[in-house]
Structure formats: C-alpha cells, structure tokens
Amino acid sequence: MSLLVDIRHRLGALDLEISFRAPGGVTALFGRSGTGKTTVINAVAGLLTPESGRIELDGEPVFDTRSDLSVPTHKRRVGYVFQDGRLFPHLSVRQNLTYGERFARAKPRASLAEVSELLGISDLLERRPGGLSGGEKQRVAIGRALLSRPRILLMDEPLAALDSARKAEILPFLERLRDHTDIPILYVSHSVAEIARLATTVVVLEGGSVARSGPAEHVLSDPGMVRQIGVRDAGAVLPATITRHHNDGLTELSVSGGRLFLPEMDTAPGTATRVRILAHDVILSRALPQGLSALNILSATILALRDGDGPGVIVQMQCGEDRLLARITRRSADVMALQPGDHIHAVIKSVSIARTDVGAG
C-alpha cells in the first residue's frame, strides 16, 4: 500500500505546494505549527478539497483536478484518529469499536477480539468512555478506526492531549500496530521523540512545501534538518538488537557500529529495537578514550560539519551502517581540526539515553 500526495492549496497567507510519496509503514508528517500538516491529512481524508493536484491510494486516484475527480470521504476507506478520540459517550467501548463496521464495505482485516488484544483493551469492552483514562480512550479510538477496515490510517497528533505518563503508556501499542498490521499510517506530529520511536518514513514540511523526505534514520540524522527539528531534539535513530542482560543492571545492544550498554530493559535477547541518541549527548575524541566512566565508545568517520546560528557545530558521522550526530562548540571543532573523512570516537553515557528514546524495532 502506498500514498501519493501532490497538491496545491491556499491556506491563509501560505501557499501550499506539497508533493511526496509514502510507502507502507508509518509515514510521519513533521513541521512547526502552520506548515500545513493537518491540511494534508484532511485532504487525504476528503475533509478538505485542495485547489489543485492529485491524491492516490495504492495507485487508485481519490482526488484529481485534471479529471474533476473527488471521491467522497465515506468511500475512500480511511480510518481517522483525532487528538481527542471523539468517542460516543452513550455507547460502551464494544459499541464504539464496532460502530464503523456497519459502514465498511471491505472484508475485515481483523476481528474485534484481535484488535482488542492488539491494543490491550479486551477488559474495557463493557465500560463507557467516561470511565476511561486518556490513553485508554485513544486506544479505543484507534481500534474503532481499525475495525472500519481502512486502506490507510490517518492520525492527527493522537498523543498531543495526553500527559507524559499516558504517552508512555500508548506508544508501545502504536509500535505494535506498526509492526503487526499491514495498514499504512500517516502520522502527524510535532514531537521528534514520537517520530523517532514510530516512523519508518519522515516528511518534513516547512513554509508550505516539503523540505526533506525519506527513511526516518536518514532524515533525522541529516545535519541540514537541525533547524527544522530543533537543536535540542537533533539526533540519530539507530536500529539495534538486544544481545544480553548483565547482572549489574545493564542491557547490552548490538548496533552496526559496535555495541551499546543501556540501563536494564525488560525485553528478551534477540529482540529488535531502535535507539535515539541526541546530538548533545555525544562527546568526540580523536584518540581512543581511556579511563572514562562512559561505557559506550563507537568508532566513526566524519561525513560533514555544519555551523549553527550560535557557537555550536553539528558533526555528522558514519558509524557502521548508521549515522550519528554530535553537537559540539566551534572552538572544540577548531582545536581538534575536525574535517570530513577524519576518524573519530563517539562517546555516549549509558544513562543519557532515556527510556522514552528506546522503542520496538
């Protein structure tokens, strides 16, 4: 399943010209407020009609101004999850979940029992929405969208209204949804942490157009995207495999460039995972460091250096098959005489990697 979006639309003072192709998996639309994220997702859903362009779902056009085509929303077979869930308060969870089935025209991808098990809501079926937490309500809203048998799932800032604890609760379920269903997801968010955990593809919007798109690990580790992402959120996403759990409370992970030690994870050895390493948590050394408390030292080759607006420099490195970013001062880069092609050692403290930055692979 793929999605093609190529639209133009006037949004207030902003002229949108958005063009991208999204493969399967989770495609994240990222950008600051007012860059057109919700406009794009509403255009895909049929809730907004662009002034011109074309939208295709799996090669089938659902909007095309050249042929004056605009398929009504209810015939596009999209599942939409909003920020606030929008559950029917007078219906039970079971009735909310099955509400969309009556309008579905396709064969079911999964049963009520399978969806309830996937999202961890099997014990909530007879309850009313008023008695649910925010995270539980969003899981029910996602289940309702899934049971409407959509060709694509649209999520517009689904975690924005939740506090940190509820976000931490629901993120693993979104990862399970990504990994255990074949339904593509278009996910709107301004949270880099969410995107790093969930996205397989990232589309960065800026000024009404696409600034960058591609695999998440490439886009998030691109030094040219630091301004759009934010210097404090800039970093890299590394695919990893859990190797073993040590008796001293550390978990060892294998990455393409070596190994990482993190605080103990409640996950079985052999499990694939993803680790987000923030640029400001990486220290660089020309020589192999000795006598440090930091356990994570990865060998890398410098690919590029990019000056920031202040005294900082972003250093992009190749580490095995993956890319890392480090944020250091211009003074340090000058003293070390760093240049593209130089061999370097990246030092990362085990405790600097937050649990929210480690997700399912």
Side-chain angles (χ1 to χ4, degrees):
M1 178 69 189
S2 63
L3 167 69
L4 169 68
V5 175
D6 183 11
I7 60 173
R8 285 152 294 284
H9 188 73
R10 180 77 173 179
L11 183 64
L14 187 65
D15 287 318
L16 294 179
E17 292 189 13
I18 307 292
S19 181
F20 66 90
R21 186 180 294 274
V26 178
T27 296
L29 286 180
F30 175 79
R32 298 175 182 174
S33 297
T35 55
K37 302 186 300 295
T38 297
T39 298
V40 171
I41 204 170
N42 283 342
V44 174
L47 301 177
L48 176 144
T49 303
E51 293 173 1
S52 64
R54 182 179 178 88
I55 299 172
E56 294 180 2
L57 287 176
D58 206 19
E60 177 186 337
V62 294
F63 173 77
D64 192 346
T65 49
R66 292 174 301 181
S67 57
D68 199 26
L69 171 69
S70 184
V71 177
T73 298
H74 68 280
K75 292 184 178 181
R76 294 193 183 191
R77 288 179 51 209
V78 299
Y80 204 134
V81 180
F82 298 89
Q83 287 187 22
D84 52 4
R86 304 192 183 185
L87 302 178
F88 298 110
H90 62 291
L91 300 180
S92 67
V93 167
R94 182 190 301 274
Q95 291 169 323
N96 269 281
L97 287 169
T98 58
Y99 184 84
E101 287 185 325
R102 71 188 71 180
F103 306 108
R105 302 189 178 191
K107 294 181 180 180
R109 291 175 179 261
S111 66
L112 172 62
E114 290 170 330
V115 169
S116 299
E117 176 66 22
L118 176 70
L119 296 172
I121 53 177
S122 300
D123 59 344
L124 306 178
L125 295 180
E126 307 311 322
R127 293 171 61 180
R128 294 286 179 91
L132 303 180
S133 70
E136 289 169 340
K137 289 177 181 177
Q138 283 302 85
R139 280 186 273 153
V140 173
I142 293 168
R144 180 175 62 184
L146 284 174
L147 286 169
S148 68
R149 304 162 195 171
R151 291 191 291 181
I152 187 171
L153 198 59
L154 308 177
M155 294 187 171
D156 188 9
E157 302 265 16
L159 306 186
L162 304 180
D163 58 28
S164 297
R166 301 290 79 75
K167 288 181 182 180
E169 166 199 321
I170 199 171
L171 274 168
F173 292 102
L174 292 178
E175 289 172 330
R176 291 176 65 183
L177 184 65
R178 175 197 65 202
D179 298 337
H180 297 288
T181 71
D182 59 355
I183 303 173
I185 300 171
L186 186 60
Y187 190 96
V188 169
S189 179
H190 63 271
S191 168
V192 180
E194 286 177 32
I195 289 173
R197 281 280 297 266
L198 298 173
T200 51
T201 301
V202 175
V203 178
V204 180
L205 303 185
E206 182 181 29
S209 62
V210 176
R212 180 83 156 82
S213 66
E217 59 270 24
H218 292 173
V219 174
L220 296 178
S221 63
D222 183 351
M225 288 291 101
V226 170
R227 181 173 57 81
Q228 291 86 349
I229 292 172
V231 68
R232 292 187 178 277
D233 286 319
V237 177
L238 276 61
T241 302
I242 295 176
T243 305
R244 58 182 293 201
H245 301 294
H246 294 266
N247 293 332
D248 60 357
L250 293 178
T251 293
E252 182 179 338
L253 293 84
S254 172
V255 295
S256 68
R259 61 181 183 174
L260 294 173
F261 293 93
L262 273 62
E264 187 171 7
M265 300 168 58
D266 185 19
T267 312
T271 303
T273 186
R274 315 168 85 183
V275 180
R276 179 182 177 222
I277 299 176
L278 294 175
H280 60 67
D281 288 329
V282 179
I283 296 173
L284 300 183
S285 173
R286 278 202 173 275
L288 179 63
Q290 301 289 333
L292 292 181
S293 61
L295 297 174
N296 300 316
I297 302 174
L298 300 175
S299 295
T301 301
I302 295 178
L303 296 176
L305 294 94
R306 189 180 185 94
D307 289 331
D309 294 332
V313 174
I314 294 292
V315 182
Q316 184 189 45
M317 298 161 284
Q318 187 74 36
C319 181
E321 298 176 2
D322 304 311
R323 294 183 177 183
L324 279 175
L325 291 182
R327 180 161 67 95
I328 63 175
T329 63
R330 163 51 63 187
R331 180 177 297 185
S332 295
D334 289 342
V335 169
M336 296 175 71
L338 298 181
Q339 297 291 334
D342 287 354
H343 180 70
I344 202 77
H345 298 279
V347 182
I348 308 140
K349 291 178 63 176
S350 298
V351 295
S352 68
I353 301 174
R355 291 193 177 275
T356 53
D357 289 328
V358 181

